[in-house]
Amino acid sequence: MTSTHPAVELDGLTKRFGAVTAVDGLSLRVQPGEVVAFLGPNGAGKTTTIDMLLGLSRPDTGTVRVLGGTPDDAVARGRVAAVLQTGGLLKDLTVGETVRMTAHFYRHTRPAAEVLERAGITDIADRVVGRCSGGQQQRLRFALALLPDPDLMVLDEPTTGMDVEGRRDFWQALRRDARRGRTVIFATHYLDEADAYADRIVLVRQGRIVADGTTAEIKNLAAGRTVRATLPGADQAALAALPGVDAVEVRGDSVLVRTGDSDAVARHLLTRTAARDVEITSRNLEDAFLALTTAQTGA
Amino acid sequence: MTTSTPTRSALIEPDRRLPALGGFAPGALLIELRRVLRNRRTLAFTLIMPGVFFLIFGLPQSGQSLDNGRPVTAYVMISLAVYAAMVATTSVGGAVATERALGWSRQLRLTPLRPAAYVATKLITAMSLGLLAVVIEFLVGAVAGVRVPAYVWLLSGLAAWVGSLVFAAFGLFIGYLAPAENVMQIIGPVLAVLAMFGGLFVPVEVLPDVLQQVAKFTPVYGMGVLARAPLTGDGVSLAAVANLVVWALLFGVGAARLFRRDTARV
């Protein structure tokens, strides 16, 4: 039953808050078993999209299908579970009590001891939540999300506020779990998290998807280099026709060529033109991320 | 990660049926009760303080009698039992404010627990604590020498307890009105004033005439009269019953409306 439907189908989602359009005609399809990173800067609309995906808020327009049904139904049946930034915990319950209490709300769950173990918090089961660190509380939320053994796990910036070690522990726990074939969607603004833990990256900016591909494809967007040279009267058309060239920009006597094959461009410039001062710089994932997710550049 | 091992669902297909009763479960209720009984402030204000009040204000009146010959200490004890119960039920209902402020109610929306089942759990917890508050106040009275016929213990206790349902609704109403972590610190004094108007600390009859008239319209008045009626032998006036019913309706409907506003998805 799970395999006949996409895990997630978002179609033309729009959500406005007053004059602000937080999500702007966003469509996305996620297949069962995919591990998808929802990557974008703060305010890109990631959390708003996730709220609609989980049925916590209603889209102004567009439709949401989760595992072939409505979000509410998927939540009620334990087919989807989530770790949210905003989900609070009761400070005066212990970690173990919080898990056991939540387990009572479902028809059927994994044993409390098992989810505590998988979230790596067995040793603090008797600790009162109010005395747990932010990272420990986040792993408790993760344990709660593991209870129904969901087909789809949604995480909204799950490691915000954690130290480096806490982040590593959290992702190790998640990765151990993702190997079991669960669909995972996580929002993050950390590039390295998307890179290390996702099969697919969806880049969002201002409520729209600006890039969507495998981690390798997104990395290729970033793998290009920029060749810069001093070349008065450069022939833009000829440069643009070279293999691998993405963009050519002329600034005064300088020419900037963005390309996947910097060797070919450099060879052309040095052998076929009067270009001098040739510089080759690589663009990293950070540059691509910034270019794609901040103010539109000449891409 | 996608190329790994057999899928989870191929190994075991979890039970995906909806939970019975919208997720309402005695097990969760027990954890909730234990949690309430661990809260020192709740215990101090609902289980200890009213008993201490009795020892301070009631006990010195030992030997004095009401018009019908029943002990004044019983009058004080029953009044304070009503007070204990109303503080108990209000504090549990009002805890909704804390849970909303902490974001727990949002966390619950990621579970199968239906909002109505959540409120039912709160109401049962509130009434359990209210019952405990009445029983403890009566125990303190009994140990301190209050002697009345069995039907007075039973009917007065029952009236104090059932009447406190009004304040469970009041607590929920406040809880859905203001998401504040320390809502009881604000409501506590309000309850004390209402209790005064309800004749729980001193008989309404000793208040100035104007205040006596006002008192009849305040929400504790009705349940105070009803709870003391078995003891005093005074008839239950229509005004007292109307008072109880109207306030129960007002708080109940108010809580239900705010509850619907809170759980509506925007």
Side-chain angles (χ1 to χ4, degrees):
Chain A
M1 183 174 143
T2 346
S3 53
T4 55
H5 294 287
V8 173
E9 290 171 279
L10 306 180
D11 191 15
L13 283 196
T14 301
K15 183 74 177 176
R16 290 184 199 85
F17 298 104
V20 180
T21 302
V23 175
D24 189 4
L26 188 145
S27 297
L28 179 68
R29 184 175 280 240
V30 176
Q31 296 302 331
E34 280 191 292
V35 178
V36 179
F38 218 47
L39 181 63
N42 290 327
K46 303 190 294 291
T47 298
T48 308
T49 304
I50 283 175
D51 281 356
M52 290 188 283
L53 167 60
L54 295 170
L56 294 176
S57 73
R58 298 260 178 254
D60 293 333
T61 60
T63 55
V64 179
R65 303 288 287 171
V66 177
L67 300 157
T70 65
D72 291 359
D73 190 62
V75 167
R77 293 179 190 279
R79 305 189 71 198
V80 58
V83 177
L84 297 188
Q85 292 174 285
T86 48
L89 299 166
L90 297 175
K91 293 179 193 168
D92 52 350
L93 285 182
T94 67
V95 168
E97 283 172 334
T98 307
V99 170
R100 287 196 299 279
M101 183 186 248
T102 304
H104 283 301
F105 303 147
Y106 291 91
R107 164 79 66 165
H108 176 83
T109 64
R110 305 301 309 162
E114 179 191 307
V115 300
L116 287 169
E117 176 69 35
R118 274 158 67 191
I121 48 175
T122 303
D123 54 327
I124 56 164
D126 293 328
R127 187 173 300 177
V128 172
V129 171
R131 296 229 177 92
C132 292
S133 71
Q136 288 168 336
Q137 292 191 12
Q138 198 65 343
R139 273 185 281 163
L140 170 55
R141 288 191 190 93
F142 181 55
L144 297 180
L146 287 173
L147 273 173
D149 200 8
D151 301 316
L152 169 64
M153 173 80 83
V154 179
L155 307 105
D156 188 9
E157 310 217 356
T159 61
T160 299
M162 287 190 200
D163 57 21
V164 175
E165 197 185 344
R167 282 175 63 185
R168 200 193 53 213
D169 289 351
F170 184 86
W171 285 110
Q172 276 175 356
L174 184 74
R175 195 143 78 160
R176 272 198 303 277
D177 191 68
R179 273 202 296 272
R180 297 159 67 98
R182 207 192 298 291
T183 312
V184 177
I185 298 178
F186 66 93
T188 180
H189 58 254
Y190 293 118
L191 288 160
D192 55 336
E193 286 187 347
D195 186 22
Y197 302 106
D199 308 321
R200 174 179 166 195
I201 296 178
V202 174
L203 272 171
V204 287
R205 177 177 69 90
Q206 290 173 7
R208 294 164 179 268
I209 293 175
V210 290
D212 180 356
T214 63
T215 312
E217 283 167 350
I218 297 292
K219 274 183 140 177
N220 278 342
L221 285 175
R225 294 189 175 131
T226 302
V227 182
R228 187 196 165 282
T230 305
L231 177 60
D235 180 353
Q236 261 180 277
L239 286 170
L242 290 172
V245 170
D246 297 321
V248 179
E249 194 184 336
V250 174
R251 294 183 192 159
D253 284 348
S254 293
V255 61
L256 287 92
V257 183
R258 254 187 40 207
T259 175
D261 186 354
S262 55
D263 293 342
V265 174
R267 190 172 295 117
H268 173 86
L269 286 170
L270 291 170
T271 59
R272 305 284 170 90
T273 72
R276 54 196 163 80
D277 305 333
V278 175
E279 284 174 13
I280 302 175
T281 51
S282 66
R283 289 157 28 93
N284 56 24
L285 194 57
E286 189 87 26
D287 292 333
F289 175 64
L290 286 173
L292 287 163
T293 59
T294 56
Q296 200 68 56
T297 58
Chain B
M1 276 181 247
T2 43
T3 53
S4 59
T5 53
T7 62
R8 185 181 42 82
S9 50
L11 298 171
I12 28 130
E13 184 55 50
D15 185 348
R16 294 302 188 203
R17 284 174 301 158
L18 296 172
L21 303 172
F24 175 84
L29 181 64
L30 281 177
I31 296 175
E32 180 77 18
L33 276 170
R34 222 171 38 223
R35 176 176 164 240
V36 167
L37 292 176
R38 262 198 322 238
N39 187 318
R40 290 207 193 104
R41 184 181 295 160
T42 305
L43 297 189
F45 280 98
T46 62
L47 305 185
I48 297 171
M49 217 177 69
V52 172
F53 277 2
F54 175 78
L55 298 178
I56 296 172
F57 303 112
L59 213 49
Q61 304 186 58
S62 292
Q64 298 183 39
S65 298
L66 300 169
D67 292 346
N68 66 353
R70 296 263 161 76
V72 169
T73 48
Y75 187 99
V76 177
M77 177 191 75
I78 291 167
S79 297
L80 285 173
V82 173
Y83 176 67
M86 69 183 259
V87 174
T89 54
T90 307
S91 70
V92 174
V96 170
T98 313
E99 299 187 4
R100 288 172 68 224
L102 289 172
W104 176 247
S105 42
R106 193 172 159 87
Q107 177 71 29
L108 290 177
R109 285 169 69 173
L110 301 172
T111 75
L113 183 69
R114 300 270 57 88
Y118 171 75
V119 169
T121 304
K122 287 289 169 207
L123 278 176
I124 295 173
T125 307
M127 294 312 287
S128 304
L129 190 66
L131 182 62
L132 191 61
V134 171
V135 167
I136 288 185
E137 186 69 26
F138 278 15
L139 274 177
V140 170
V143 169
V146 175
R147 295 292 176 265
V148 288
Y151 78 89
V152 174
W153 289 111
L154 192 69
L155 292 182
S156 291
L158 207 59
W161 180 56
V162 173
S164 69
L165 189 59
V166 174
F167 278 84
F170 173 68
L172 286 170
F173 175 73
I174 298 294
Y176 281 108
L177 191 67
E181 262 197 68
N182 47 6
V183 68
M184 271 313 283
Q185 281 158 316
I186 304 157
I187 311 180
V190 175
L191 291 182
V193 171
L194 291 177
M196 205 258 308
F197 277 113
L200 300 187
F201 298 149
V202 290
V204 174
E205 293 74 33
V206 307
L207 295 177
D209 198 46
V210 178
L211 291 186
Q212 281 192 42
Q213 295 309 313
V214 173
K216 287 180 179 156
F217 297 98
T218 60
V220 182
Y221 180 83
M223 67 181 74
V225 169
L226 285 171
R228 284 185 304 254
L231 176 77
T232 59
D234 298 342
V236 173
S237 68
L238 192 65
V241 176
N243 175 294
L244 189 76
V245 170
V246 167
W247 281 108
L249 280 176
L250 278 180
F251 289 144
V253 170
R257 291 199 129 189
L258 290 176
F259 164 75
R260 272 204 293 275
R261 187 187 72 180
D262 187 66
T263 51
R265 283 146 196 217
V266 287

